[in-house]
Amino acid sequence: MTVSAMEAKTKTRLENFYIFNSEWGPREGEEEKKIIFYHPSQTTLDDKIKNIGLSEAMVKFSSTFTDKPVDAVHTQRLRQVLFEAEKDFWMVMTVGIPYTTKLKDNQTYHEFHEDDVKDSVFQCVLQQAYKMLCMFNGTFQSMLDSPSGKGSPENLTKRVTHFLSQYLLTLKLDQCDVLDIFSGISFLPLDKMMFLRIQCLMNLLEASFQWVKYTIFLYNDQLVWSGLEQDDIRTMYKYLVTSLFPNCANKQEMTSSGSINSPVVPKSDIGQFVTGPKKIGDPSSISKLPIVYLNKIVQNEQCYLVVYKALHASVCILVDSTNGPPNPKIYMDLHQFLGPRLSSLATEMAEQYSRRSSTSSDPAFKYIYFNHMNLAQKTTIHLDLRKTATTVPQEILHFVSDMNADFSRTGQDGETIVKTSSEYWIVGKKSDQREFFVVITSKTANLIEINEEVKKLCETHFNNIFFLD
C-alpha cells in the first residue's frame, strides 16, 4: 500500500438500516416477526435478529433512567441513530465512521474521524426517510389498517421494502450536513405584480378544474406558491428538487444525446408533462402517476401528482384520487389551459431572474440562513440545493452543525464566534427563530473586525430581518 493510499480518508458509508415493531414476535423463537425491513437484505437472519434485539435492549435499558429513550449510540467504528417513528415502530440507521489508514512502527492502523459524523445530522436524515416513506405510502399504521385485505404485516413489509430499497440508493451520506437538519425551502423573490399574477393563475386553475385539490408553483427549483401544509410542502419540495426534476433532466440529456431510447419529449417552450403523458394526445404514452399522501384536510389524503413544466417554470397539480387517474382528455385540457399561460409567465420571469442574477456579486464571505417559522433557506456555501459541491471545506460545515446543535440544546438566542486552525472565522447567530451562519477567510482579522464584517453583511443582504446585537 502506498503512502498516498494510506493517507486517503474513507467516506461515511451506510452499514445497515432496519425497521422493526417492538411488540411483534414477543415469544422466544418468533423474533423474526419483528422485522419489517432490513438493509442489506443479504444479511443472515441470525444477524438481523441479533442487531434488532440489541437495539431493543438499549431502548428498554435507557428508558429506565429517562422519559426520552436513547436516540444515538457511539462506538469507535460505527455511529447508530434510532427513531421511534410511530408507537412501537422503530427505525435504526448505522453508518461507518470515516477513517484514515496510517503507518506506525511498520504497522498499519485506522485513525477514525468521529467528528465527521454528527448525531443531529443523521437523526434528521433518518427522520427524512420516514417522512418520504409516509408521503408515498402513508404511515405504518395506515398501511396496516388498509382496507380490501391489504392491511397485513406481510403487505406492510412488501411496501416498505419496495420504497426503501430504492430510496436508500439515493442517500449521499458523505454530503450530509446542516442543510439536512434544516430541510428548508428556497423561495424565489418576485415583485408584487408578478407574484399576484402567479397566484391568480393558480386560483384560476383550481377553479376551472374541480378535481384539482392543491397546486404548487416553482421556478428554477425555487418555490413561489404552495397550497399545501408546511410539513407536506417541506417533504414534497425535497422530493421535487432532489429527485424528480434531476431525474427528468438526466433522461432528457440522455435522450438528446442518443444514449437511450426513451419517450421523454425534448424541452418545449409551450410546455410538457413531467409526470403523466410523455406525448400530448397519445394515450399510450401516459405513464403511471405517483400517488402522494397529504395531511391538510384529513390524515393520509391520497392525491395523484401531475407535474407540468414550461421553460424553467413548473406547476405541480395534486388531483383527487377518488375517481382514479386523469384520462387523456383531462391531460389535453390541462395542456391547452396551462401551456400558453405558463410559457408567457416563464418568459417574463426569466427576464426578472436574469436581471437579478447579473446584479448579484459573489461575496468574499459565505453564509447559510434559515427561518424556522416559514422554512426559508438561503445558502452561498452550497452551489445548488442538491449539494453537489460546496465552497468551503467539509470540516467547516461540521463546525456549523455543532453550533446549530448548541443552539438547539439551549433553546436560547445567542451568538458564537469560532476561529479554526485553517484561518476560517465562523460566526453563528440565532435570533427570533432564525439562524444565520457566516464563514469568512482571513489570516489577519481580529474579533472586532469580524464582528463588523458580519454587521455589514446583515445590513446589506438581510436589512429587513431583525438580529439581536
Side-chain angles (χ1 to χ4, degrees), residues 112-312:
F112 290 90
H113 304 275
E114 293 184 40
D115 287 339
D116 287 5
V117 180
K118 303 298 179 183
D119 290 352
S120 56
V121 171
F122 287 94
Q123 283 164 356
C124 290
V125 171
L126 182 59
Q127 292 169 21
Q128 183 62 50
Y130 170 69
K131 292 175 183 176
M132 202 67 77
L133 172 68
C134 289
M135 171 152 282
F136 291 97
N137 293 274
T139 62
F140 294 131
Q141 194 59 52
S142 70
M143 283 187 266
L144 281 175
D145 296 339
S146 176
S148 305
K150 296 181 179 179
S152 64
E154 292 76 15
N155 185 64
L156 170 64
T157 297
K158 183 178 179 181
R159 291 178 64 178
V160 171
T161 301
H162 176 73
F163 178 83
L164 286 180
S165 59
Q166 300 174 62
Y167 178 80
L168 293 181
L169 296 176
T170 67
L171 294 181
K172 299 176 182 177
L173 299 182
D174 57 305
Q175 296 178 10
C176 292
D177 55 40
V178 71
L179 289 194
D180 293 281
I181 298 176
F182 294 149
S183 191
I185 296 171
S186 177
F187 290 92
L188 179 67
L190 292 171
D191 63 48
K192 292 179 181 179
M193 286 305 300
M194 181 60 73
F195 178 78
L196 286 174
R197 288 178 61 188
I198 293 170
Q199 187 179 16
C200 287
L201 175 61
M202 295 299 97
N203 291 339
L204 182 60
L205 175 61
E206 294 181 19
S208 302
F209 302 92
Q210 294 184 353
W211 35 263
V212 174
K213 300 208 73 173
Y214 315 108
T215 54
I216 306 168
F217 190 104
L218 301 97
Y219 185 85
N220 259 0
D221 291 351
Q222 292 179 286
L223 185 65
V224 178
W225 166 263
S226 169
L228 300 183
E229 291 295 314
Q230 196 174 70
D231 285 344
D232 286 335
I233 187 57
R234 190 179 211 169
T235 308
M236 178 69 74
Y237 179 78
K238 187 173 183 67
Y239 164 68
L240 294 171
V241 171
T242 63
S243 181
L244 182 64
F245 292 163
N247 289 343
C248 178
N250 290 339
K251 287 181 181 178
Q252 287 180 337
E253 288 177 6
M254 294 176 71
T255 303
S256 60
S257 64
S259 301
I260 59 172
N261 294 319
S262 170
V264 177
V265 295
K267 293 181 180 179
S268 168
D269 292 345
I270 301 301
Q272 66 187 58
F273 287 96
V274 177
T275 62
K278 302 303 180 186
K279 187 176 180 181
I280 305 298
D282 181 5
S284 64
S285 71
I286 298 177
S287 58
K288 185 178 180 181
L289 286 175
I291 295 179
V292 295
Y293 292 72
L294 306 175
N295 299 290
K296 181 168 183 176
I297 298 176
V298 296
Q299 287 289 105
N300 295 305
E301 179 184 12
Q302 296 184 37
C303 294
Y304 289 106
L305 174 61
V306 178
V307 181
Y308 188 86
K309 190 166 188 176
L311 300 175
H312 294 291

Side-chain angles (χ1 to χ4, degrees), residues 349-362:
M349 291 177 72
E351 295 175 2
Q352 281 196 21
Y353 193 86
S354 60
R355 284 198 300 268
R356 188 164 55 85
S357 299
S358 61
T359 56
S360 61
S361 57
D362 185 28

Side-chain angles (χ1 to χ4, degrees), residues 329-356:
K329 183 180 183 305
I330 288 177
Y331 286 119
M332 180 60 73
D333 291 343
L334 271 176
H335 176 65
Q336 291 175 350
F337 176 89
L338 273 178
R341 291 176 172 87
L342 189 59
S343 298
S344 175
L345 269 179
T347 302
E348 293 184 45
M349 291 177 72
E351 295 175 2
Q352 281 196 21
Y353 193 86
S354 60
R355 284 198 300 268
R356 188 164 55 85

Side-chain angles (χ1 to χ4, degrees), residues 248-446:
C248 178
N250 290 339
K251 287 181 181 178
Q252 287 180 337
E253 288 177 6
M254 294 176 71
T255 303
S256 60
S257 64
S259 301
I260 59 172
N261 294 319
S262 170
V264 177
V265 295
K267 293 181 180 179
S268 168
D269 292 345
I270 301 301
Q272 66 187 58
F273 287 96
V274 177
T275 62
K278 302 303 180 186
K279 187 176 180 181
I280 305 298
D282 181 5
S284 64
S285 71
I286 298 177
S287 58
K288 185 178 180 181
L289 286 175
I291 295 179
V292 295
Y293 292 72
L294 306 175
N295 299 290
K296 181 168 183 176
I297 298 176
V298 296
Q299 287 289 105
N300 295 305
E301 179 184 12
Q302 296 184 37
C303 294
Y304 289 106
L305 174 61
V306 178
V307 181
Y308 188 86
K309 190 166 188 176
L311 300 175
H312 294 291
S314 304
V315 174
C316 303
I317 305 164
L318 284 306
V319 179
D320 189 351
S321 66
T322 306
N323 299 318
N327 57 47
K329 183 180 183 305
I330 288 177
Y331 286 119
M332 180 60 73
D333 291 343
L334 271 176
H335 176 65
Q336 291 175 350
F337 176 89
L338 273 178
R341 291 176 172 87
L342 189 59
S343 298
S344 175
L345 269 179
T347 302
E348 293 184 45
M349 291 177 72
E351 295 175 2
Q352 281 196 21
Y353 193 86
S354 60
R355 284 198 300 268
R356 188 164 55 85
S357 299
S358 61
T359 56
S360 61
S361 57
D362 185 28
F365 38 73
K366 308 297 179 182
Y367 66 84
I368 297 175
Y369 166 81
F370 180 68
N371 186 331
H372 288 269
M373 292 178 284
N374 65 1
L375 307 181
Q377 174 181 282
K378 294 181 180 180
T379 175
T380 58
I381 288 179
H382 303 80
L383 297 185
D384 57 41
L385 297 170
R386 290 178 286 280
K387 299 183 297 184
T388 52
T390 59
T391 56
V392 299
Q394 201 68 23
E395 166 202 8
I396 303 304
L397 288 169
H398 297 328
F399 279 108
V400 173
S401 297
D402 286 336
M403 287 183 178
N404 167 264
D406 289 339
F407 289 147
S408 299
R409 184 168 52 251
T410 62
Q412 298 178 350
D413 294 346
E415 182 178 52
T416 303
I417 302 179
V418 172
K419 185 181 182 183
T420 71
S421 57
S422 51
E423 305 297 339
Y424 282 93
W425 288 86
I426 309 168
V427 181
K429 296 167 73 77
K430 183 180 180 183
S431 176
D432 193 26
Q433 294 297 306
R434 297 175 174 91
E435 293 189 43
F436 183 52
F437 302 93
V438 186
V439 178
I440 302 174
T441 308
S442 177
K443 293 183 179 181
T444 58
N446 56 40

